[in-house]
Amino acid sequence: MEEATFISASDPRLSWQGAVSLERTDEWVRPWRIELDHKGLFHNALIERGGHPAGVRIAFASDTRRLAGRIVPCPGTAFTELLVDGEVFGAYKIGDGDCFAFEDLPAGMKRLELWLPQLGEFRLCGLEVSPGATVERIEDDRPKWLVYGSSITQARGAQYPTRTWAGTAAMAMNCNHWNLGYAGECHLDPMVWRMMRDMAADYLTIKVGINIYSGPSRSVRTFAPAIIGMVLTIREKHPDVPFAVCSPIYSEGKEDKPNAVGLTLRQMREEVQAAVEALRTHGDKHLHYVDGPQLLGPDEGHLLADGTHPTVEGYVTIGKRFAEKVGPILAGDKV
């Protein structure tokens, strides 16, 4: 039997969609969701979360009937998923293993997208395809969507990588998305503002509030100004890109309970909306406010696993609603 064809993780035919930067050694490639060149300027906890490959996809075209991968074991890593021509083909639970495999792929040339786990570290040594299979680089011409948020956006509790709310929405909107959700670390860090400013984007979304409530890292004096500062910084290079600013979804026990600096979740939504309205008054007509409870509201506590984080069904619900309610606004606002 012929041996499988080995494709190095550094092979230029592999496109690492969703990665902000790549760490390369002679043995493996690791995707990051922060800029490695400026790694020392990010907060340590944000660096750790930025090393989780939420939303990162390895894409290429091939006529292979089998796709396997060799990885550096990382305990706790969850599922990877394979999409064939945009449709989910299957999922593989990596666990503590050093490999994964998808068998009996459809015949002929096809677009393959390997979605990486949304939590844990991931270091790819290489891929294996059928003996003699053709492998070609493909470019993604779908609109590029940057999504900044918290653990709800990183979505460690989602069942599979495609079922984070951002992944669900991106597939429904036919977007090429960059998931910049950092569990526990969505505190409107200026380094994230600068990073998003310098990345290519066709659509922009920030979903802010819950980490700042729990932190608490911003007060009523600094919360809205930080949102304004983030938007204005990103606007330096994306002046007319459709931009959605989302306030927190419903969260049990936090709606009217002041946090350590006196903010309630209900008040935070008012602050987010006021920041967006102030920016629109000053000329930003491509900025849009999204009320969080429209994505998951007070009548849907059963879609929260712990009062804050969505259930498996909750993540998918948020993604579908974003695609239905916000997707058309972003697409219709495209310059």
Side-chain angles (χ1 to χ4, degrees):
M1 181 181 293
E2 282 188 89
E3 291 188 4
T5 300
F6 182 75
I7 309 296
S8 167
S10 294
D11 193 299
R13 292 173 294 180
L14 303 182
S15 176
W16 293 74
Q17 301 295 318
V20 175
S21 54
L22 298 173
E23 180 181 2
R24 301 179 187 271
T25 72
D26 292 338
E27 291 79 32
W28 47 260
V29 173
R30 179 184 180 185
W32 287 82
R33 296 180 301 125
I34 60 169
E35 300 167 299
L36 282 181
D37 289 347
H38 300 132
K39 183 178 176 182
L41 300 179
F42 289 83
H43 188 275
N44 286 340
L46 199 155
I47 293 171
E48 190 271 334
R49 301 298 192 275
H52 298 184
V56 177
R57 291 143 286 132
I58 303 171
F60 59 98
S62 179
D63 57 358
T64 186
R65 300 299 303 275
R66 179 178 189 269
L67 178 64
R70 305 176 194 170
I71 62 174
V72 177
C74 180
T77 300
F79 286 90
T80 183
E81 275 186 285
L82 181 64
L83 270 62
V84 176
D85 290 332
E87 299 293 330
V88 175
F89 176 81
Y92 190 101
K93 187 172 183 178
I94 297 174
D96 300 338
D98 61 358
C99 63
F100 57 86
F102 296 91
E103 309 284 354
D104 300 320
L105 273 58
M109 288 296 290
K110 49 202 168 284
R111 176 191 178 89
L112 300 177
E113 274 188 295
L114 185 69
W115 287 55
L116 306 186
Q118 65 267 35
L119 76 157
E121 299 176 3
F122 186 91
R123 295 175 174 85
L124 179 71
C125 302
L127 298 175
E128 293 180 357
V129 296
S130 302
T134 297
V135 175
E136 297 178 353
R137 184 177 179 87
I138 55 175
E139 301 303 329
D140 197 324
D141 59 0
R142 295 174 299 174
K144 185 173 180 180
W145 178 36
L146 307 186
V147 190
Y148 171 60
S150 65
S151 57
I152 295 172
T153 299
Q154 183 176 339
R156 64 177 296 166
Q159 186 176 14
Y160 298 119
T162 61
R163 297 183 187 177
T164 65
W165 82 258
T168 298
M171 291 179 68
M173 295 160 55
N174 195 30
C175 285
N176 181 10
H177 82 298
W178 262 243
N179 185 327
L180 304 177
Y182 307 105
E185 296 304 317
C186 181
H187 293 284
L188 296 168
D189 292 68
M191 282 303 296
V192 176
W193 309 356
R194 293 170 55 86
M195 183 178 77
M196 293 181 69
R197 176 196 64 186
D198 295 339
M199 295 171 67
D202 295 295
Y203 303 130
L204 293 158
T205 297
I206 62 174
K207 185 176 179 301
V208 296
I210 194 64
N211 289 160
I212 291 167
Y213 175 92
S214 301
S217 55
R218 303 279 182 180
S219 66
V220 68
R221 168 63 181 83
T222 61
F223 181 43
I227 294 171
I228 291 171
M230 183 173 197
V231 172
L232 289 177
T233 298
I234 294 171
R235 284 303 198 206
E236 290 174 6
K237 293 187 179 179
H238 301 293
D240 299 316
V241 170
F243 197 146
V245 180
C246 305
S247 64
I249 62 171
Y250 171 75
S251 185
E252 294 175 358
K254 300 178 180 66
E255 293 297 312
D256 298 300
K257 181 181 179 181
N259 67 358
V261 294
L263 277 170
T264 67
L265 217 57
R266 197 180 306 277
Q267 184 179 5
M268 294 184 82
R269 292 191 194 100
E270 295 172 356
E271 293 292 311
V272 176
Q273 185 172 17
V276 170
E277 290 176 353
L279 287 160
R280 287 182 61 86
T281 297
H282 282 76
D284 194 338
K285 302 306 181 185
H286 301 287
L287 194 68
H288 307 278
Y289 173 69
V290 179
D291 191 45
Q294 288 188 354
L295 303 178
L296 195 148
D299 295 331
E300 297 170 307
H302 63 285
L303 294 177
L304 295 172
D306 57 3
T308 298
H309 298 89
T311 61
V312 166
E313 181 185 356
Y315 284 113
V316 174
T317 298
I318 293 171
K320 288 180 176 179
R321 287 185 181 160
F322 187 94
E324 293 168 359
K325 297 175 180 292
V326 187
I329 295 172
L330 297 178
D333 192 26
K334 186 100 169 118
V335 175

